[in-house]
Amino acid sequence: MSLDPIFFTRDARSDSSDPEWRALLSEYFGQSVYRDWFAQLETKSFQEGVLVLAAPSLFVKDWIEKHYIDLILSLLKRKYARCHQIVIVAEGTNSLSVAQHESEESFSRHDEYPKENTQSPQEFSLSGYALDPKLTFDNFIVGKPNEFAHAAARRVAECDEAVYNPLFLYGPVGHGKTHLMHSIAHHILERSQYKKRVLYLSAEKFMYDFVRSLRYKNVMAFKEHFRSVHVLIIDDVQFISGKDSTQEEFFHTFNALVDQKRQIIISADKSPTDLDLKERMKSRLSWGLVADLHPTTYELRLGILQSKAAFLKIMMDPNILDFLANKISSNVRELEGALLRVAAHGSLVGKTLTLPLVQEILKDVLRPYETELTVELIQKKVSEFYNLKISDLNSAKRLRNIVRPRQVAMFLSKKLTTASLPHIGKCFGGRDHTTVMHGISTIEILLQKDKSLQEDVALLRKTLER
């Protein structure tokens, strides 16, 4: 078995002539990310298409495998077609760091880190993540679900002094929190002509740097690093839930920056009160302004797709964009990924994109959304829409604010399902089929002249047919 000189080096960390794959990663990820994660790797071998890399600890190994391994393999495949697998092993660490995975739990109190370290104290790099140049305010699509969070982010970015400290953004994955944080960072840097020090990183990276500062007995460097910034941006703060030592250090860092009137921006998947954090930490996070990003609406999703298509110069049938905006509602990342996948297929295969072809291309993505439409589901959606209980629709109540939604639900049940009139009547409190027919007929007549009802039914159909 021959070893490829491009990949193999005796000790990549000390080799002055870095192999080409290192240059690839450094160029793609930027120097700060490369220095924090990939410069620590040692190339062991490249045999039969398998590149074996050694990480200095299980923590680094697990982090790279979780966040970067697929992307690294994709990058290498483009330049070296024969590279088809990457294996990372953990070695070169003492038993303490390996057995404990460098976990935060290993340091439940600041005075409990190992009194003796087999590695001599040394300098270790502390840096944030590189900002994505594409994530700016200019290409953030504003809609009702995110307009408040966007306005708050704009205000923070445009003020010379700290306001709403901290600005706490929360919402589901893929709804724009990270985009807004990158946008704030870009705007502040540009306004200050890059004189302000803005640090953006995840809560997981904060924990990792804290643990390393304990391991290398260089806690003061860690404290100075994080408390000397003008703007601190922490993503996914829910990661430090249950990690008491990291919470303690973050608490002190938070207070030190607030005392200096330095701006803090934080994101999470839940509001501060719903996070599994210590009470005083929850209190600190609620000090400033808490802004949530709601699930996207159809209109917002369509706007995002149109903007993305225009930015990437993708020509696509508006009906396809409408289909994607209707069908994919979980998060924006998945929506944009579907657009890119469809566009790439059309470009590479050379076929005209049609709705049936798009459905075939995205069948694995669309499968989770293909919930069978039933009378019960229609009742649930209609009751939510009109702010009623399902039991109201099934009751004998004859109040107008209940009768009309009940008839709408019957109408939609007939139009959107294969259920028979007797079955629909049974679902609505045991009514007979003539009552159902009357309700359906009433709605059909009203739809010809009642614009408000037309809008209600159209919106409900769009929601149910997604």
Side-chain angles (χ1 to χ4, degrees), residues 154-174:
R154 272 280 193 188
R155 178 68 187 278
V156 167
E158 290 170 357
C159 286
D160 292 325
E161 296 182 354
V163 293
Y164 310 138
N165 214 4
L167 172 61
F168 190 100
L169 304 171
Y170 78 93
V173 173

Side-chain angles (χ1 to χ4, degrees), residues 91-198:
E91 62 176 41
T93 56
N94 57 45
S95 58
L96 263 178
S97 60
V98 173
Q100 297 175 341
H101 293 205
E102 292 188 1
S103 66
E104 192 269 354
E105 289 78 2
S106 304
F107 306 97
S108 57
R109 296 198 307 274
H110 286 197
D111 58 354
E112 288 183 354
Y113 63 87
K115 296 298 185 292
E116 294 184 6
N117 194 330
T118 56
Q119 295 172 300
S120 59
Q122 56 183 286
E123 293 295 324
F124 58 96
S125 64
L126 286 164
S127 61
Y129 293 154
L131 296 174
D132 188 332
K134 300 187 293 295
L135 301 182
T136 64
F137 284 123
D138 290 339
N139 52 34
F140 184 86
I141 307 302
V142 183
K144 196 160 188 178
N146 60 28
E147 61 183 357
F148 178 68
H150 172 264
R154 272 280 193 188
R155 178 68 187 278
V156 167
E158 290 170 357
C159 286
D160 292 325
E161 296 182 354
V163 293
Y164 310 138
N165 214 4
L167 172 61
F168 190 100
L169 304 171
Y170 78 93
V173 173
H175 281 66
K177 302 186 298 295
T178 299
H179 192 145
L180 284 179
M181 290 193 295
H182 279 247
S183 299
I184 293 171
H186 282 302
H187 199 80
I188 290 175
L189 287 170
E190 290 168 5
R191 285 187 70 248
S192 69
Q193 297 181 333
Y194 295 88
K195 292 177 182 177
K196 282 192 173 182
R197 187 164 175 239
V198 178

Side-chain angles (χ1 to χ4, degrees), residues 6-7 32 51 64 84-85 92 94 132 145-146 157 180 197 227 229 234 239 304 312 341 381 418 425 431:
I6 290 176
F7 288 110
S32 62
L51 174 63
I64 293 175
H84 62 78
Q85 185 180 0
N94 57 45
D132 188 332
N146 60 28
L180 284 179
R197 187 164 175 239
R227 300 179 191 192
V229 300
I234 301 283
F239 179 81
I304 290 169
L312 298 174
R341 185 169 165 184
K381 293 296 183 182
T418 59
R431 288 173 166 81

Side-chain angles (χ1 to χ4, degrees), residues 1-8 44-50 82:
M1 298 180 185
S2 61
L3 298 177
D4 193 319
I6 290 176
F7 288 110
F8 186 73
K44 301 302 291 184
S45 67
F46 180 62
Q47 300 175 346
E48 298 181 349
V50 179
R82 59 195 179 281

Side-chain angles (χ1 to χ4, degrees), residues 411 438-450 453-454:
F411 171 82
H438 173 72
I440 294 170
S441 176
T442 300
I443 297 300
E444 287 175 339
I445 293 170
L446 289 173
L447 283 174
Q448 297 175 17
K449 54 185 178 181
D450 190 331
L453 184 62
Q454 289 172 8

Side-chain angles (χ1 to χ4, degrees), residues 279-316:
E279 285 304 317
R280 67 174 183 172
M281 193 71 252
K282 291 182 183 181
S283 174
R284 292 296 189 272
L285 295 178
S286 302
W287 267 5
L289 180 66
V290 177
D292 61 333
L293 291 95
H294 299 281
T296 55
T297 59
Y298 160 78
E299 290 77 15
L300 180 56
R301 292 193 296 274
L302 184 59
I304 290 169
L305 287 172
Q306 290 170 338
S307 174
K308 190 75 173 179
F311 178 76
L312 298 174
K313 299 180 180 178
I314 297 172
M315 300 298 293
M316 194 169 291

